[in-house]
Each structure stands twice: as C-alpha cells, then as structure tokens.
C-alpha cells in the first residue's frame, strides 16, 4: 500500500507540473525568475552584461531576456536582437536611475535581480513630448487596424507609417471622396531669377520621409484629424474578409487581431492562423464562430469595446521543465491549450550554461534544411528551431562528418548537458520543426 501511495503521489506531482504550462503567465511570474510571493529583488547570479555583450549561437540568451524585460517596463523601444548596443545601455542606465541603483549602464547581478522582480519600477511617462491630438489619432488608428502598439502621444515612425497607410486606404477606396476632403495645395511662389537665388542650406543626410507605397506621406493634417473626430465619415465595413484573401482589408483585420492579442504576426495573407485567431475572437465576443470577418464581426473587431485575448492563438504551445528535463506540447482546442498531446525527454543547459527561464514567442526555423552547424564545437544537429536569441530546440549531436547521432548526446537526454539549447531526440526535434510556426509560445520554467 505504501509503495502504491508513493507512486500515486509522484504521478500527481508530474501532472501538476505539466499542467502549469497550460495557462499563460504574466509579468515577473511569466519570466519564471521570481517567486510569485516575492516582492523584492532576488539574487539570481546573473552574468554581467554590458556594451558589446551578445547572444551567441549556442550560449545562454541573457541579452535577449534583458531586452525583453526592458521593453516590458517601457525603457527600451528598439528590437530585442541579442546585441547589447548603445540603446540597450541607455535603457539599463535609465532603469538604474529610476530604481535607485548606481547608474553605470552595466547590467550586473544586482541590476538584473531587481529588473526581474516585482519591485522593478516602470519607466516614467515622458509627458513633455505627449500630444493630446496625437493620442486621439493613435487610438483611432489602432482601433481601425492601421497601427499596432500603444497610444503614447509621441509621433514616431510607427505613427507616421500608419498615417501614410490610412491616407492611401482612404484614397484607394474613394478617390473622389478623398479629393473632396483634401486640403488644397498652396499656390507656389514665382520662380526667382538664377542670380537672385539665396544660398542653399544643407539638409542632414539622415533626414527621412515616411511614405506609403503610393507616395502618401505620414504628415498629420487637419483633414486626417477630421476623420478622427468624426467630422468626415470612416466606413468600418467594406467587404467580407476570409481565408484566401489578401490586401489592405486583410492587413486591417490582422493588425487589429494583433493589437488585441489574438494573432502574433500580421502578414497580409489570410491563412489558417488568422482564421483560428478570428474564431477565438468571435467566441470571446459572442459572435458566430465562422472564421470569416463578416460585417457583424468587423463592427465588433474595429470597436473600442472589443474583448482582448489572454494569449496568442497557435496550433500548439510548448512548455519546458528544467527540473524534469521534459518538453510538454499542448494543442489549441478553440478556447485554450488544454490538451497535452506530447511529452519529450530533453537536455537543457548544464551548470554555467543555464537555459534561461521565461515566456517567449519563438523565432521559428533557423534553417530551411535539416542540418545546422555549430562552428564553435565543429559538430552538427538536425532541425534547429529558435526559441529566443541563441537558445534553440535541436536534435542530439552529430560529429563533423554528420555521422551519428553521438552516443554521448543520446545518453544525456533526461539530464542537463547542453550549452543552453534544448536537445531532443531526432524525431522529436523534427516534429517541432515541422509543426510549430514562428511565434509559437514557449515557456521555460
């Protein structure tokens, strides 16, 4: 009886651990770096990161992890590219100043311990550069599906690009209407005689103009604001959008789904990922689950009261347990990732090369073919799939002549043995490579 109870308890613990991946985590808890009851900084023994640090092809992805957290807290606006450049240094410096740390621009252990804790302070809002008109404009462009992001009142490249595309959209749908609303061009002044021309002033070479493909610029004009304020009408629904479609209307639907957290990556082509994301939107918003954006769906989608998703919709979601050295795969069932369909034995980072915990949107296939070469170790693996930075899913190892897999890497499955990547049996690595699109959620705990 005692042996039976022990076995039952062990099975229950395993199920509990596996099920923990089925629910998306948020904030510091999602990073997996702090106890959910902890409210102050923890000592994480993080490697020192500074200007010039970068994630390698087979090393811990600490720079990307750092950049992701700085973005979440509002200190970094550039992409998380794994390169510790000047923008990342400035973001770390600002974080240190706001959080009462010595401002060095170097992400040492104490800085990262606070950064990944619930005690980390958000970046202060730059109210000096905010513009109320810009906020109203951004809010409308986000709701109408021309922009993804937050309405911060700062007119940057993203806002200008959205304005340019909005102008092009209005013109393409009704050129006569746009012409009627457009502000007349000012009458040019007479050309001066050559000898009367003033001396030219140099224009900075880095000055760029944001424009759409058809040449519409991103300038915020009085006419554009009249659309925003309702003086000029904007038609929400123009046509049915469904699987197989492409073009401007698809971009609008996809961008809005992205802004609401249903779809990870808009691409202008209405495929299976978009259809499933829209079905979930329809489910959450009390609409018929057709997967096609009809009038009722679009009127709800492009409204300010559309309900957001808890997480992105993909065919599968992946969880990695560092304690168990197991990979769990969950299938989307229309309302969540409630069905565990696979369990793989793996090898994660050994001591000194820890696989970083966290919640990531994967980078997808690293190569188009099956082979991936590790130059630092002169060996190969199959089916390399990027989790984040230099952290990959890949098969067990092959020698420099592609002979293998090596006995040592096969025997090591089930214990920590890699340089940060997640090694799998060949068939298991192939399954992820072939079935999980870019952006698939991966949680490492």
């Amino acid at each position: 009886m005692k042996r039976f109870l022990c076995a039952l308890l062990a099975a229950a613990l395993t199920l509990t651990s596996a099920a923990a991946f089925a629910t998306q985590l948020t904030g510091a808890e999602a990073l997996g770096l702090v106890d959910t009851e902890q409210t102050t900084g923890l000592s994480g023994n993080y490697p020192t990161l500074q200007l010039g640090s970068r994630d390698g092809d087979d090393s811990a992805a600490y720079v990307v992890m750092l950049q992701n957290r700085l973005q979440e807290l509002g200190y970094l606006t550039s992409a998380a590219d794994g390169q510790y450049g000047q923008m990342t240094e400035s973001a770390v410096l600002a974080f240190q100043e706001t959080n009462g740390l010595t401002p060095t621009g170097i992400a040492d252990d104490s800085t990262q311990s606070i950064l990944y804790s619930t005690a980390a302070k958000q970046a202060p809002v730059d109210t000096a550069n905010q513009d109320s008109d810009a906020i109203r404009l951004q809010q409308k462009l986000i709701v109408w599906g021309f922009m993804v992001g937050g309405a911060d009142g700062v007119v940057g490249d993203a806002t200008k690009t959205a304005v340019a595309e909005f102008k092009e959209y209005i013109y393409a749908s009704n050129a006569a209407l746009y012409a009627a609303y457009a502000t007349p061009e000012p009458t040019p002044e007479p050309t001066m005689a050559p000898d009367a021309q003033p001396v030219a002033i140099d224009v900075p070479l880095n000055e760029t103009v944001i424009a759409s493909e058809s040449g519409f610029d991103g300038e915020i004009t009085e006419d554009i604001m009249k659309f925003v304020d309702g003086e000029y009408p904007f038609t929400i629904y123009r046509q049915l959008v469904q699987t197989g479609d492409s073009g401007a209307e698809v971009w609008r639907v996809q961008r809005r789904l992205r802004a609401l957290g249903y779809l990870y990556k808009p691409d202008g082509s209405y495929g299976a990922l978009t259809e499933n994301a829209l079905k979930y939107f329809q489910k959450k918003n009390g609409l018929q689950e057709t997967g096609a954006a009809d009038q009722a769906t679009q009127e709800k989608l492009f409204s300010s009261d559309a309900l957001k998703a808890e997480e992105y919709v993909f065919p599968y979601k992946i969880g990695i347990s560092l304690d168990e050295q197991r990979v769990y795969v969950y299938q989307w069932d229309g309302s969540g990732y409630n069905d565990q369909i696979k369990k793989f034995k793996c090898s994660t980072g050994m001591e000194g090369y820890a696989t970083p915990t966290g919640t990531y949107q994967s980078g997808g296939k690293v190569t188009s073919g099956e082979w991936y070469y590790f130059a630092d170790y002169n060996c190969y693996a199959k089916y390399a799939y990027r989790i984040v930075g230099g952290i990959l899913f890949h098969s067990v190892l092959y020698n420099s002549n592609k002979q293998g897999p090596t006995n040592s890497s096969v025997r090591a499955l089930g214990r920590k043995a890699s340089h940060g990547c997640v090694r799998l049996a060949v068939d298991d690595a192939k399954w992820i490579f072939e079935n999980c699109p870019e952006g698939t959620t991966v949680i490492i705990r």
Side-chain angles (χ1 to χ4, degrees):
M1 175 63 74
K2 182 177 181 181
R3 182 176 300 174
F4 172 76
L5 290 175
C6 289
L8 187 63
L9 177 60
L13 289 172
T14 299
L15 287 173
T16 300
S17 177
F21 293 110
T23 302
Q24 178 73 300
L25 303 177
T26 58
E29 183 183 356
L31 289 166
L33 298 170
V34 294
D35 191 325
T36 55
E37 296 181 357
Q38 184 71 36
T39 58
T40 58
L42 298 174
S43 177
N45 296 317
Y46 300 106
T48 298
L49 304 174
Q50 56 190 319
L51 191 65
S53 297
R54 65 184 181 86
D55 291 332
D57 288 335
D58 192 27
S59 62
Y62 287 105
V63 178
V64 166
M65 190 165 68
L66 176 85
Q67 292 171 326
N68 284 337
R69 182 60 169 159
L70 289 169
Q71 286 179 340
E72 180 186 354
L73 294 173
Y75 292 93
L76 184 66
T77 57
S78 61
D81 59 2
Q83 307 289 326
Y84 199 115
Q86 292 182 347
M87 294 188 71
T88 301
E89 183 182 53
S90 297
V92 170
L93 190 65
F95 172 80
Q96 291 169 329
E97 291 175 341
T98 301
N99 287 269
L101 300 167
T102 303
T104 63
I106 298 173
D108 54 14
D109 180 69
S110 60
T111 296
Q112 292 181 69
S113 295
I114 296 294
L115 180 71
Y116 297 125
S117 77
T118 56
K121 296 179 181 178
Q122 294 275 345
V125 178
D126 184 9
T127 56
N129 290 324
Q130 284 187 330
D131 182 279
S132 59
D133 286 345
I135 290 177
R136 288 188 293 111
L137 169 69
Q138 290 168 334
Q139 289 172 338
K140 283 295 186 182
L141 292 175
I142 292 169
V143 169
W144 289 343
F146 293 94
M147 182 176 173
V148 174
D152 58 5
V154 179
V155 181
D157 286 354
T159 301
K160 292 177 182 177
T161 299
V163 169
E165 292 191 7
F166 179 72
K167 289 180 178 180
E168 181 173 359
Y169 180 84
I170 293 296
Y171 184 84
S173 63
N174 192 329
L177 178 70
Y178 185 82
Y181 291 152
T183 302
E185 292 291 332
T187 303
E189 296 182 1
T191 304
M192 299 177 65
D195 57 355
Q197 290 281 9
V199 176
I201 300 175
D202 289 339
V203 177
L205 294 176
N206 61 355
E207 182 176 325
T208 59
V209 177
I210 302 296
S212 70
E213 291 184 1
S214 300
F216 290 93
D217 63 40
E219 180 185 357
I220 301 173
T221 64
E222 180 181 347
D223 304 304
I224 294 301
M225 293 306 299
K226 287 181 178 180
F227 279 103
V228 170
D229 294 332
E231 185 174 342
Y232 296 161
F234 176 73
T235 304
I236 293 296
Y237 177 78
R238 297 171 188 253
Q239 67 183 61
L240 177 70
V241 182
Q242 58 190 335
T243 300
D245 289 346
S246 60
E249 298 297 344
V250 174
W251 276 109
R252 285 186 61 218
V253 169
Q254 290 181 326
R255 286 197 193 103
R256 185 58 176 150
L257 288 172
R258 174 66 173 85
L260 294 170
Y262 292 87
L263 183 70
Y264 176 67
K265 187 177 181 180
D267 60 6
S269 180
Y270 201 112
L273 288 176
T274 304
E275 180 178 332
N276 287 335
L278 190 73
K279 282 182 178 179
Y280 187 45
F281 170 82
Q282 291 169 325
K283 181 181 181 69
K284 284 188 65 67
N285 287 270
L287 300 164
Q288 186 177 359
E289 296 173 49
T290 63
D294 55 14
Q295 183 169 349
T297 298
Q298 290 191 43
E299 287 176 351
K300 186 67 175 180
L301 182 66
F302 299 121
S303 71
S304 58
D305 62 348
L307 297 180
K308 295 183 177 181
E310 298 82 11
E311 55 185 325
Y312 297 120
V313 176
F314 285 100
Y316 307 99
K317 179 178 179 178
I318 303 172
I320 303 169
S321 171
L322 300 183
D323 288 339
E324 298 175 17
Q325 292 294 288
R326 294 294 186 273
V327 173
Y328 298 93
V329 180
Y330 299 86
Q331 188 169 31
W332 178 258
D333 64 6
S335 60
Y337 299 95
N338 301 307
D339 301 326
Q340 180 188 321
I341 63 165
K342 290 186 179 293
K343 179 180 178 181
F344 304 143
K345 187 184 293 187
C346 69
S347 289
T348 63
M350 57 186 166
E351 186 176 355
Y353 297 91
T355 302
T357 55
T359 299
Y360 304 103
Q361 304 308 139
S362 67
K365 296 179 181 180
V366 178
T367 60
S368 57
E370 66 178 354
W371 290 104
Y372 182 83
Y373 178 61
F374 293 98
D376 291 344
Y377 306 102
N378 190 28
C379 66
Y380 288 86
K382 289 185 175 184
Y383 307 115
Y385 178 100
R386 192 175 308 282
I387 300 172
V388 62
I391 302 301
L392 315 175
F393 281 120
H394 62 74
S395 76
V396 286
L397 303 178
Y398 291 72
N399 64 27
S400 59
N401 295 319
K402 298 183 180 179
Q403 300 297 311
T406 63
N407 291 329
S408 58
S409 64
V410 172
R411 288 197 303 269
L413 288 174
R415 59 185 175 84
K416 298 179 180 181
S418 78
H419 289 85
C421 290
V422 181
R423 293 184 196 160
L424 298 163
V426 175
D427 287 345
D428 297 340
K430 183 179 181 181
W431 189 92
I432 290 177
F433 188 84
E434 293 182 342
N435 291 280
C436 298
E438 176 187 356
T440 295
T441 304
V442 179
I443 299 178
I444 306 175
R445 298 193 71 184

